Each structure stands twice: as C-alpha cells, then as structure tokens.
Amino acid sequence: MINLENLCRHFEVGNQVVRALDEVDLVINKKEYVSIMGVSGSGKSTLLNILGLLDTPTSGDYVLSGINTSKMNDDEMAHIRSTKIGFVFQSFHLIPRLTAAENVEMPMVLSGLNPKERQEKVDNALARVSLTDRSDHRPEQLSGGQRQRVAIARSIVMEPDVLLADEPTGNLDSSSSKEIIKLIEELNQGGLTLVVVTHDKDLGRRSNRLIELLDGKIINDNQN
Amino acid sequence: MRFYDLIFLAFSTLVRYPLRTLMLLIATSIGVMAVILLTAVGEGARDYITGEFRDMGTNLLIVIPGKNETSGGGSPADLAGVAPRDLTVEDAISLRQIEAIKNIAPIVIGETPAQFNGLERSVPIIGTTPSFLAVRKWEMATGNFLPGVTLDRSPPVCVIGKEVESELFGKNKAIGQWLRVGDRRCRVTGIIGTEGRAVGIDAQKVVVMPVSLATALFNRPSLFRIGIEARNTWEMEQIKKDIIRIIKKRHQGKEDITVIRQDSVMKSFDNIFNVLTMALGSIASISLFVAGILIMNVMLVAVSQRQAEIGLLKAIGAKNNQINHLFITEAIILSGSGALLGLVLGHTVTQILKVAFPTFNFLPPLWASFVSLLVALISGVVFGLLPARRAAKLDPVIALSGNK
Ligand SMILES: Nc1ncnc2c1ncn2[C@@H]1O[C@H](COP(=O)(O)OP(=O)(O)OP(=O)(O)O)[C@@H](O)[C@H]1O
Ligand SMILES: [Mg+2]
C-alpha cells in the first residue's frame, strides 16, 4: 500500500546540501509491522514525515494506496492525512487546554462530523486505550503513558489505514513503554499497518520487519 | 469544521490566556467607549444650542438693522451717500400692515441703575411690547406682562426678574410698587417666571418695560431688533420679502436691514454640530484602529507560540483554510466582545456624567454605537488576517518541532 520509488529529500543549508533521504526505494504492504532504526540524523523522521504527507520529497514518487501523491495540493494532502493516516509523536502533542475526550475528538471536529457520531467514536477510542475514566482530564492531569494513550486514541479515531509513530516511547519510562508497545501491536493485529521509528533494539526486534537507515539510505531491510 | 466548533475552539484559547485576552478587550473597549463619549458630547452640545432656539417658538423671523452683503449694483441711495437709518418703533408699527404677521415684538436693550427704597443695582433693560411674551415663550410667575402696552401706547409699567425682586424688594411685595429706573419711574406689574436667557440677557436679572419708555430712557430711538411671529410657516418667505420692501421704502430706498428665519439659523447650527459630532466620532475611531493593531501584534506572537499546536492540527488533517478561520474567529471574538464591553462602559459612563453634570445633556447617538461596533469588527478581521495567514502557511514539520 506504500510504495516509494527513487525518493530523495534534500535540504539546502547555506550552500551545502543535506541528503536526509537519498534514492530510497521501499514497499510496505497492508497490515505490515515495520520498525525503522538508525543513528541520529540518519533520516528516520524525514522518512516518516514524508510517509505521513507532512513533508514532500525533493524528487521521486510516493504512491499511497495506488494514488501518486506527488501532484497533490495542500488540501488534498490534508484530506489524506485526515482519513488514511494516524500520527503518534514522541512528545504526544496534545492540546493542553482541551480534555482527553476533546483531544481525541479533534480530528473529527476538523472533518466536520456531527457531534452525535463523534461522541460515540470518542467513547470507543478511549475505551480502546482503557482511558474511559479519564476522558474529562486535561493533559497536565495525566501521566506520560496516559497522555500517549490519549494521542493513540486520537490517531485511530478516524480509522486510518496506517499508523506512523515517531519514537512513541522516547519520553516514557520502561513500564509505560511496554503498555504503549502492547497497545499499538494490538492495533496492528487488528489490521492497521504500523510503521514505528525507534532507537530501542528490543522494540525493533519485536516487529515483523526491521529497516535500518544510514545517511538517508536503507542499509538493511530484514524480515524477522 | 462546524461553526460552533470553530467558536468553541477560538473561545477555549481566549480563556486559556486570560491576561492577554483581558488586555485586548480593554484596548478595544476603550476605543468604543471613546467613540460613544465624544459623540455624546457633540450631540449634547448640538441639543444645548438648538434647544435655546427651540424654546423661542416656531414661525419666528428676526429683523436686524444693517446689511452685510452688498446687493448687486447698489441703489441710488448708496450712491447719494445716505447713512443707513436706524430701525425705529415707527418701522415696527409700519409692519402691522402685513396681514400674515401674528405678533410684532420690537426690542430695545440697555443697562441702567434701578432703585427702590434706597437699594440700588444696575440692571439690564429690555424695552418691548406684550408680543415679546408670545415670541420668546416666556412665562410670568405672578402678575401681568406690561398691561395696556401696545406699539404706540406706553404707560409707565414694568415687569422684573426674580433676582431683581429679591435684591431690591426683599420681603416687601413688589407688585404695585414704583420702581425708579434711571431717571424714570414705572409701576411693577409682574414677576417673570422663566429661568432662561433671551438676546443674551438672563430672565431673572432683567427689567422689562414698554419699548417707547426704553427709547426715551436711553434717549436713543434705535431698536436692537424686531422679533416677528408669522401666522403660518408657509407664509414666512413672503413676509420676509414684504418686510424688506416696506422698510426699504421707509428708508429712502436703501435696503439696510437683514431678516433671518429662526428655523434656518437653527438648521445651520444643527448641521454644524452634526459635522462636529461626526468629526469627534472619527477621531475616536482612530483608537479603535490602534486597538486593532494591538490585536494583530499579540496574535502574531500567539501564532509563533502556538506553532506546535498548529503543526499538530495540520498533522491530524486540518486544511490551511481551517487554521486561517480559527485565528480570524479569535480576532473577531476578541474585537467583538471588546466592542460590546465598550458599548456597555460608554453608555454607563454617559449616564454617570448625566448625573454629575445635569445642565449639559449627554446624548450618545444611536449610530455611534452601530458604527463603533462595526469598525471594531472590521478592524478585528483586517488585523486578524495577517496572523491567520501566517499560521495557515506554516510548514507542518517545522511547526511540529517548534515550541509547545
Ligand atoms: N528542516 C531541515 N533543514 C535542514 N536540515 C534538516 C531539516 N530536517 C532534517 N534535516 C537534516 O536531515 C537529516 C535527517 O534528519 P532526521 O530528523 O530525519 O533524522 P532522524 O533520523 O530522525 O534523527 P533522530 O534520531 O535524531 O531523530 C539530518 O542531518 C538533519 O540535520
Ligand atoms: Mg527523528
């Protein structure tokens, strides 16, 4: 469902060109569980941002579910992000003034869904991450692990095809990390394509497929 | 995105930063309040001035000696070098022939000492006829206003203001007493009840006597002016022409008087003060734009502070336009509620001023409220535009890595 062909992402810094991604070819199938690893600065986040249509490649093609994304405008990309892609970030990125339920509701608010349907889906998503009893709490009243669970509930509430997680356990202690990993693996078993960027070798080994980046190139691609 | 969601989201940020919100609300409300107060003063001034005229009754014409503008080629009298004649009681009498005139009130003014029982004070004098009462809409407290007096009959009677009564007569009854005025004597027949002013003279301080008595007293035949009340408004232009024709004939063909219509004077004042009020309102509106610029600056700061949130919204599917609308809505809510607060404050302060200064009528015009509200909203949109566009155009990756 994800198909990258000869994809490059270059940054010009001063008169120097940084090849964050350099001629990457990659195919990820439906329901796959992929880990991306590599040293700092190897291009992991850049790859994930491009997969999530937050960033656009300098050259090459990105075909998502049979649609070539390179000719899309901002609104079309926003629509794909809204309906097909879920994001989970290292730093949670919850809106601090909104409650857990309202944060989860946000993608549906943006897509203009009616409040009744929204309520039902929020309840389901919060139940899915076992936070029903915390729905009225604001982020500052939740622990790191709970915050990340709210973020995961938000990422799945629109029932996307693929979940992109950039170091989702990077800010968490080991027990919270385990919970989060368990949660997203369950989601993957439920049929969601999962791409996780991680520094954690144990986590990397748990996935079906481990991709290693170095200087913007894929240097290893192993099925576990 | 649904409308109420937009409102809710915009509102939640405003509540989240109460100090910032309060500051901007105050800035806008001061602007609106300034518009309300200044226009209230302008409108009050207009009402004060035109009110002076309104009290004088309608259908009023005033004949004033002298003429400012030159009338075309000039009459033979001009060439002969005849000096302009004074306006006299005889001139006033001659106007009786105009059917359409209801009342003629010649007016002489001067100042002279008045004396009773050893007490003396200098008083302003008005010499006129009983028509004066109708023309000026004065009222008597007690007694009669110059009984038996006509344009050609001047029995020695007079009426006095309340202050003259209390200062010269004290506890004595004034009516029926002989008052010495200059080198003449007149019997007091009434006390004036009105508290206003006429021809610049305070009704409470004046002594009013028959016109011929006054001209004799001052040894000067000239009238200060002639007040004329027409029977009907539609006849006023004709009366004006007739007056000029008759007086011109009496003054050897020289047109040496000016006839003005009370209503046209009032209308000019009305216009002048309307312009003044609008000018005051516009000046005050400038402060609304200052408030708008303040909103813009604060929102620009907010956009950079909220980069991470904007990036997140984009990551979960917000279109650029939605981000744009969100920030514009915030600006409109800010300026709109600031304006409403300003309206409440402005009208409250106006009421307080009314109590504090009862003689001056503070009248905030209705249009000022609407216009200031509108200007505030427009400046909210206009000055919200730039920050909103900046927010919408943020690159999501950079925004997400920005400050939280
Ligand atoms: N906006 C940018 N401008 C210039 N250079 C950039 C930009 N974003 C990323 N880079 C560069 O691209 C390369 C890859 O960055 P990226 O963030 O993808 O690394 P990463 O693998 O996620 O690293 P980390 O493990 O530290 O998160 C780095 O050398 C980085 O400096
Ligand atoms: Mg990274």
Side-chain angles (χ1 to χ4, degrees), chain A residues 49 53-55 74-76 78-79 81-82 85 87 89 91-98 102-103 106-107 109-115 118 138 140 154, chain B residues 1-2 4-6 8-9 12-14 16-17 306 308-309 311-322 326 330 395-397 399-402 404:
Chain A
N49 287 337
L53 293 175
L54 287 175
D55 198 4
D74 281 359
D75 279 1
E76 288 165 333
H79 182 69
R81 286 200 295 269
S82 165
I85 297 166
F87 278 103
F89 304 95
S91 52
F92 324 132
H93 277 298
L94 298 178
I95 298 176
R97 60 182 180 280
L98 301 182
E102 286 163 350
N103 267 290
M106 210 52 220
V109 167
L110 291 168
S111 75
L113 214 65
N114 72 55
R118 268 159 32 189
R138 280 210 245 99
E140 70 208 21
R154 178 180 64 195
Chain B
M1 188 154 43
R2 281 154 193 270
Y4 51 78
D5 288 324
L6 196 63
F8 170 78
L9 274 179
S12 71
T13 16
L14 297 181
R16 166 84 179 173
Y17 304 100
R306 279 155 63 192
E309 180 188 323
L312 179 271
L313 288 176
K314 289 194 165 193
I316 60 176
K319 300 195 165 82
N320 293 352
N321 256 341
Q322 291 180 311
L326 192 60
E330 272 179 42
D395 179 280
V397 176
L400 273 167
S401 61
K404 313 200 161 53

Side-chain angles (χ1 to χ4, degrees), chain A residues 22-173:
Chain A
D22 201 12
E23 295 178 351
V24 172
D25 293 299
L26 177 65
V27 176
I28 297 174
N29 294 312
K30 254 200 169 83
K31 299 179 188 176
E32 252 190 294
Y33 174 11
V34 182
S35 289
I36 299 176
M37 297 193 72
V39 295
S40 184
S42 56
K44 307 181 293 294
S45 295
T46 305
L47 177 60
L48 209 69
N49 287 337
I50 283 181
L51 291 181
L53 293 175
L54 287 175
D55 198 4
T56 46
T58 313
S59 65
D61 285 319
Y62 169 23
V63 179
L64 176 66
S65 307
I67 311 160
N68 193 333
T69 63
S70 57
K71 299 214 165 49
M72 283 185 176
N73 63 28
D74 281 359
D75 279 1
E76 288 165 333
M77 289 198 287
H79 182 69
I80 302 283
R81 286 200 295 269
S82 165
T83 53
K84 293 199 185 328
I85 297 166
F87 278 103
V88 176
F89 304 95
Q90 178 176 357
S91 52
F92 324 132
H93 277 298
L94 298 178
I95 298 176
R97 60 182 180 280
L98 301 182
T99 63
E102 286 163 350
N103 267 290
V104 174
E105 196 180 2
M106 210 52 220
M108 297 183 290
V109 167
L110 291 168
S111 75
L113 214 65
N114 72 55
K116 232 182 106 190
E117 274 180 78
R118 268 159 32 189
Q119 187 55 51
E120 201 183 307
K121 293 193 177 198
V122 168
D123 291 345
N124 288 343
L126 281 175
R128 187 73 198 75
V129 300
S130 321
L131 277 179
T132 305
D133 53 336
R134 297 304 181 103
S135 65
D136 288 336
H137 290 218
R138 280 210 245 99
E140 70 208 21
Q141 299 162 321
L142 299 171
S143 73
Q146 288 169 331
R147 287 182 209 184
Q148 195 60 300
R149 269 148 65 191
V150 173
I152 289 170
R154 178 180 64 195
S155 73
I156 58 170
V157 78
M158 294 288 288
E159 295 160 26
D161 300 334
V162 53
L163 184 65
L164 306 173
D166 195 348
E167 301 185 41
T169 59
N171 280 1
L172 300 177
D173 60 41

Side-chain angles (χ1 to χ4, degrees), chain A residues 30-33 128 156 159-163 181-194 208:
Chain A
K30 254 200 169 83
K31 299 179 188 176
E32 252 190 294
Y33 174 11
R128 187 73 198 75
I156 58 170
E159 295 160 26
D161 300 334
V162 53
L163 184 65
I181 294 306
K182 193 167 154 259
L183 184 57
I184 58 177
E185 286 177 355
E186 280 169 17
L187 292 170
N188 171 248
Q189 277 145 28
L192 191 61
T193 311
L194 181 60
N208 313 127

Side-chain angles (χ1 to χ4, degrees), chain B residues 31-174:
Chain B
V32 170
M33 190 168 75
V35 173
I36 302 292
L37 286 183
L38 283 182
T39 53
V41 169
E43 188 74 359
R46 188 184 68 86
D47 184 69
Y48 185 77
I49 297 291
T50 55
E52 293 260 297
F53 288 99
R54 242 193 332 256
D55 292 344
M56 283 159 58
T58 48
N59 296 356
L60 204 65
L61 288 156
I62 298 164
V63 185
I64 302 171
K67 188 162 180 69
N68 289 333
E69 67 251 58
T70 47
S71 48
S75 63
D78 283 334
L79 297 172
V82 177
R85 284 183 48 160
D86 288 331
L87 206 53
T88 61
V89 178
E90 286 71 34
D91 288 332
I93 292 173
S94 74
L95 296 179
R96 274 186 187 160
Q97 59 183 285
I98 304 172
E99 288 278 305
I101 291 179
K102 191 172 162 193
N103 280 310
I104 300 173
I107 297 168
V108 169
I109 58 170
E111 182 146 353
T112 200
Q115 207 183 332
F116 178 79
N117 219 0
L119 292 170
E120 186 182 290
R121 68 171 282 175
S122 182
V123 290
I125 303 287
I126 293 178
T128 187
T129 64
S131 297
F132 182 84
L133 207 60
V135 167
R136 300 298 314 203
K137 299 275 183 286
W138 274 17
E139 274 158 18
M140 297 300 291
T142 47
N144 298 315
F145 187 80
L146 305 182
V149 176
T150 64
L151 276 171
D152 25 37
R153 267 179 44 100
S154 307
V157 290
C158 61
V159 294
I160 60 177
K162 281 180 178 161
E163 217 176 292
V164 181
E165 181 197 19
S166 63
E167 286 196 13
L168 291 183
F169 295 91
K171 290 194 180 71
N172 295 324
K173 193 170 156 47

Side-chain angles (χ1 to χ4, degrees), chain A residues 173-206:
Chain A
D173 60 41
S174 60
S175 76
S176 301
S177 296
K178 276 189 193 116
E179 274 176 44
I180 295 299
I181 294 306
K182 193 167 154 259
L183 184 57
I184 58 177
E185 286 177 355
E186 280 169 17
L187 292 170
N188 171 248
Q189 277 145 28
L192 191 61
T193 311
L194 181 60
V195 182
V196 186
V197 168
T198 183
H199 281 293
D200 185 340
K201 290 206 170 62
D202 293 335
L203 180 52
R205 273 195 291 273
R206 292 169 67 97

